[in-house]
């Protein structure tokens, strides 16, 4: 349309047609190809849907996992997509070989490089999973790079060598761009199917039972315990913690701590009384490791904790090293007594103002976590005679929050018996603080279970030079924190059973406040 006659790159055959008729014919041909493409897509989708239903109906297995049919349908469709796109790539490469052989050899070389890159990324070892993902993400840039190489070859061919007809060069360039895109898409689908190969095999293979996929993060984590690995990183960590490069490991062993995805090891030095406890957090617990370090790096005075010597990294995992010299973990004749003594000691600790301020900015305290949604849910599951009490407590929510907010703050932690050790001085210490929190004093205390009175629990407040908490307020906070805990665990019956006691404490507090005001 933009030239006086026919463009020179068109074949001579077209010269016998009138220019206007030729424009109309080519335009209609383009529209007809568009129509053929739409019909082909609709036909393929209908056939694909029918084939998918047939495949699903042929699976003669009980449900193995959630969304089994969806996974089977996606796997089948992506398999056909892979076959379709690789077929397109092959046909496109053959077409370019026919009209522009030199460019076809360039495209083949680039495609082989892309394929080698994909294979090297796909079959990375499990402990190189991050490198694998970064390589697979780089695949998205390769179609553009391949097109750029092909375009540069065509330009250099026209400048220095004997190129083919311009029309053939343009067609080859368009086909090249599409073929590279199809190749990369097929590799992306292959990777997605490979990630679910265990589920797909369990669905489609006749004698393949369901098997959990290997956790790629577990292999390097537990591999730290292998002698050949610990012989390398263990002296490094101990040297960093002790401040000496000349340390000799006498013995080390794994200890049972009741902690999941955390390696705990006791290390003794050769010809020395020094002993260390090493905690290594799996990557999924990185936030808990940082939370523990936040408290222990600037440890509040009198905190019943084993001294933290170092917070470092071991092969990408957070590692905390504690000094457990002259301590004993295995002599718990009365574990409940140890836990009670630990709670008493912890209650004497006043959180530093800077730590309390940082915590308040990051996480909500107990009064802020109490909301109408909690009571609405309890009302749904309550029996008829309990609904009135739930509504009554909900109507006093603002008062309840205000009372709790008057209480002093304390550090809360509930270690298991395996996480407590005893020093030579008889102090009960903890080496696990990943779940610590700052809450109004009384949170987490179970007064009924411990058998302690408010007077006994108020002794720590006196030791801080503060006015002791009222027994009633301490009991109120203890009950409310237990209610919240039961609610979070969906133990609604246990939560409902606490509401009468909470209402009684609120009434007593109201009477006490009125009496104080009148006096």
């Amino acid at each position: 349309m933009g030239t006086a006659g026919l463009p020179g790159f068109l074949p001579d055959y077209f010269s016998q047609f009138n220019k206007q008729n030729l424009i109309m014919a080519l335009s209609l041909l383009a529209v007809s190809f568009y129509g053929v493409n739409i019909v082909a897509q609709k036909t393929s989708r209908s056939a694909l849907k029918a084939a998918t239903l047939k495949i699903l109906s042929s699976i003669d297995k009980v449900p193995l996992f959630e969304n089994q049919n969806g996974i089977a349908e996606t796997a089948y469709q992506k398999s056909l997509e892979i076959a379709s796109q690789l077929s397109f790539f092959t046909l496109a490469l053959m077409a370019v070989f026919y009209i522009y052989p030199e460019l076809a050899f360039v495209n083949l070389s680039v495609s082989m490089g892309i394929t080698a890159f994909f294979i090297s990324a796909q079959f990375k070892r499990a402990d190189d999973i991050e490198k694998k993902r970064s390589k697979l993400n780089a695949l998205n840039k390769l179609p553009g790079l391949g097109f750029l190489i092909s375009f540069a070859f065509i330009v250099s061919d026209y400048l220095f060598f004997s190129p083919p007809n311009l029309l053939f060069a343009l067609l080859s360039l368009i086909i090249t761009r599409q073929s590279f895109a199809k190749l990369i898409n097929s590799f992306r689908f292959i990777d997605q199917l490979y990630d679910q190969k265990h589920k797909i095999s369990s669905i489609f293979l006749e004698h393949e039972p369901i098997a959990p996929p290997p956790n790629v993060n577990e292999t390097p984590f537990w591999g730290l315990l292998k002698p050949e690995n610990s012989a390398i990183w263990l002296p490094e960590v101990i040297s960093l913690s002790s401040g000496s490069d000349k340390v000799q490991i006498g013995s080390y062993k794994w200890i049972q701590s009741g902690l999941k995805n955390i390696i705990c090891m006791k290390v003794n030095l050769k010809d020395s009384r020094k002993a260390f406890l090493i905690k290594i957090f799996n990557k999924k617990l990185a936030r808990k490791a940082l939370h523990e370090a936040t408290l222990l790096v600037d440890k509040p005075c009198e905190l019943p904790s084993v001294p933290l010597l170092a917070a470092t990294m071991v092969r990408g995992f957070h590692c905390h090293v504690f000094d457990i010299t002259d301590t004993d973990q295995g002599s718990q004749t009365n574990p409940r007594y140890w836990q009670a003594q630990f709670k008493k000691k912890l209650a004497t600790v006043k959180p530093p103002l800077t730590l309390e301020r940082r915590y308040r900015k990051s996480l909500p305290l107990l009064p802020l976590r109490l909301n109408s949604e909690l009571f609405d849910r309890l009302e749904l599951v309550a029996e008829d005679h309990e609904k009135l009490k739930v509504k009554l407590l909900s109507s006093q929510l603002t008062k309840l929050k205000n009372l709790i907010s008057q209480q002093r703050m304390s550090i809360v932690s509930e270690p298991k018996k395996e996480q407590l050790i005893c020093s030579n001085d008889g102090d009960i210490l903890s080496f696990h603080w990943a779940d610590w929190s700052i809450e109004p004093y009384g949170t987490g205390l179970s007064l009924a279970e411990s058998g302690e009175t408010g007077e006994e629990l108020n002794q720590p407040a006196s030791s801080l030079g503060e006015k002791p908490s009222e027994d009633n307020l301490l009991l109120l906070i203890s009950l409310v924190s237990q209610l919240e805990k039961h609610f979070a665990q969906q133990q609604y019956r246990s939560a409902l059973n606490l509401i009468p006691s909470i209402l009684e404490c609120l009434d007593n507090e109201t009477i006490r406040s009125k009496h104080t005001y009148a006096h």
Side-chain angles (χ1 to χ4, degrees):
M1 293 175 67
T3 59
L6 290 178
F9 58 77
L10 287 178
D12 295 336
Y13 173 77
F14 288 100
S15 60
Q16 59 182 312
F17 297 102
N18 179 272
K19 178 183 176 182
Q20 197 168 13
N21 293 337
L22 186 59
I23 291 173
M24 288 291 287
L26 291 176
S27 300
L28 290 173
L29 188 62
V31 173
S32 65
F33 273 127
Y34 182 70
V36 169
N37 183 54
I38 292 176
V39 172
Q41 285 186 351
K42 287 190 174 182
T43 303
S44 63
R45 276 198 292 265
S46 299
L48 182 60
K49 186 176 181 180
T52 301
L53 292 174
K54 187 175 181 180
I55 286 288
L56 292 177
S57 63
S58 66
I59 298 176
D60 189 22
K61 289 189 176 183
V62 297
L64 302 172
F65 36 76
E66 186 180 0
N67 195 28
Q68 176 173 310
N69 286 353
I71 293 175
E73 181 178 350
T74 302
Y76 177 67
Q77 292 177 358
K78 285 184 177 179
S79 299
L80 291 184
E81 285 282 351
I82 293 170
S84 170
Q85 291 174 355
L86 290 179
S87 298
F88 179 94
F89 174 78
T90 303
L91 292 173
L93 191 62
M94 292 171 60
V96 175
F97 260 114
Y98 180 73
I99 60 178
Y100 200 162
E102 295 84 357
L103 180 63
F105 280 109
V106 173
N107 292 350
L108 181 61
S109 301
V110 172
S111 302
M112 292 174 64
I114 293 175
T115 303
F117 182 86
F118 172 74
I119 293 174
S120 67
Q122 189 63 50
F123 295 101
K124 278 279 183 183
R125 295 184 307 170
D127 55 347
D128 291 332
I129 188 66
E130 293 181 1
K131 293 181 180 180
K132 171 186 173 180
R133 285 296 157 211
S134 63
K135 277 193 171 185
L136 291 176
N137 290 335
L139 277 175
N140 297 326
K141 302 177 181 179
L142 294 183
L145 179 62
F147 175 77
L148 183 63
I149 294 174
S150 300
F151 181 76
F153 172 79
I154 293 175
V155 171
S156 62
D157 198 17
Y158 269 83
L159 289 177
F160 305 109
F161 304 103
S162 54
N165 185 288
L166 180 61
L167 178 63
F168 291 158
L170 291 175
L171 287 174
S172 300
L173 195 61
I174 294 172
I175 294 173
T176 295
R177 187 176 186 86
Q178 290 294 324
S179 62
F180 282 146
K182 297 291 184 182
L183 181 65
I184 296 301
N185 282 337
S186 66
F187 286 162
R188 191 177 295 112
F189 287 153
I190 290 173
D191 176 60
Q192 293 171 3
L193 293 180
Y194 187 79
D195 286 343
Q196 291 190 314
K197 64 178 181 178
H198 295 276
K199 290 184 177 180
I200 295 172
S201 298
S202 300
I203 294 172
F204 290 108
L205 299 184
E206 184 70 24
H207 301 291
E208 184 77 14
I210 181 65
N215 190 334
V216 294
N217 291 323
E218 297 297 326
T219 303
F221 178 66
W222 292 106
L224 293 173
L225 292 176
K226 292 182 178 179
E228 61 270 22
N229 293 333
S230 59
I232 298 174
W233 65 263
L234 197 54
E236 296 174 356
V237 170
I238 298 301
S239 296
L240 175 66
S241 306
S242 61
S244 173
D245 294 333
K246 299 179 180 180
V247 294
Q248 291 185 336
I249 306 297
S251 63
Y252 64 90
K253 64 177 181 179
W254 176 84
I255 61 175
Q256 183 162 307
S257 61
L259 299 170
K260 292 178 64 177
N261 294 302
I262 296 179
I263 293 175
C264 289
M265 299 174 62
K266 182 178 180 180
V267 181
N268 294 297
L269 296 187
K270 192 174 183 180
D271 301 326
S272 174
R273 292 173 48 251
K274 294 287 291 182
F276 303 89
L277 186 142
I278 297 179
K279 285 172 61 182
I280 304 177
F281 296 77
N282 205 340
K283 289 184 178 179
K284 65 180 74 173
L285 299 182
R287 189 189 67 81
K288 286 184 176 291
L290 294 173
H291 189 62
E292 180 176 86
T294 301
L295 177 68
L296 298 183
V297 168
D298 294 318
K299 188 178 73 168
C301 296
E302 303 300 325
L303 186 74
S305 170
V306 180
L308 177 70
L309 298 178
T312 183
M313 301 291 290
V314 173
R315 307 299 186 264
F317 300 96
H318 287 273
C319 175
H320 294 171
V321 183
F322 297 88
D323 183 1
I324 58 171
T325 305
D326 298 329
T327 61
D328 184 15
Q329 184 197 21
S331 61
Q332 297 187 30
T333 55
N334 190 349
R336 295 190 65 178
Y337 172 77
W338 277 39
Q339 290 174 316
Q341 291 300 308
F342 173 80
K343 282 188 176 182
K344 276 189 177 182
K345 179 65 175 177
L346 185 59
T348 67
V349 181
K350 185 177 181 180
L353 292 178
T354 53
L355 181 64
E356 182 182 334
R357 184 173 62 251
R358 290 174 60 194
Y359 189 89
R360 285 178 178 270
K361 289 181 179 180
S362 306
L363 297 167
L365 303 186
L366 178 61
L368 292 178
R369 296 197 300 271
L370 297 175
N371 52 50
S372 58
E373 181 184 348
L374 183 150
F375 297 102
D376 291 343
R377 179 82 60 80
L378 290 178
E379 188 176 351
L380 290 175
V381 300
E383 297 180 10
D384 292 340
H385 67 278
E386 296 172 320
K387 292 183 184 293
L388 182 60
K389 292 181 179 180
V390 175
K391 289 181 179 179
L392 181 59
L393 182 56
S394 178
S395 66
Q396 300 186 64
L397 181 58
T398 302
K399 174 187 173 182
L400 180 63
K401 289 184 175 183
N402 291 336
L403 286 172
I404 296 176
S405 299
Q406 295 173 11
Q407 180 66 291
R408 69 175 181 88
M409 294 294 110
S410 67
I411 296 176
V412 178
S413 180
E414 300 183 25
K416 298 179 181 179
K417 61 180 181 179
E418 296 91 350
Q419 297 147 23
L420 297 175
I421 58 179
C422 183
S423 68
N424 279 352
D425 298 329
D427 295 329
I428 309 301
L429 309 175
S430 173
F431 60 80
H432 185 63
W433 295 88
D435 299 310
W436 70 273
S437 61
I438 293 179
E439 298 286 357
Y441 179 54
T443 303
L445 297 179
S446 181
L447 305 187
E449 292 180 6
S450 66
E452 294 177 323
T453 65
E455 182 180 353
E456 291 171 331
L457 287 169
N458 277 323
Q459 291 175 3
S462 302
S463 67
L464 291 172
E466 298 179 353
K467 180 182 178 181
S469 304
E470 295 288 343
D471 295 356
N472 190 69
L473 180 57
L474 191 63
L475 179 59
L476 175 65
I477 296 174
S478 172
L479 291 171
V480 172
S481 67
Q482 290 180 57
L483 182 141
E484 185 207 24
K485 181 179 179 180
H486 291 320
F487 179 83
Q489 297 172 348
Q490 296 188 5
Q491 297 176 355
Y492 299 130
R493 173 50 47 199
S494 299
L496 288 166
N497 291 338
L498 293 172
I499 289 181
S501 300
I502 294 175
L503 287 172
E504 184 180 352
C505 287
L506 278 173
D507 291 340
N508 292 339
E509 195 66 29
T510 301
I511 294 172
R512 188 184 64 82
S513 298
K514 288 181 178 179
H515 176 75
T516 303
Y517 178 75
H519 180 73

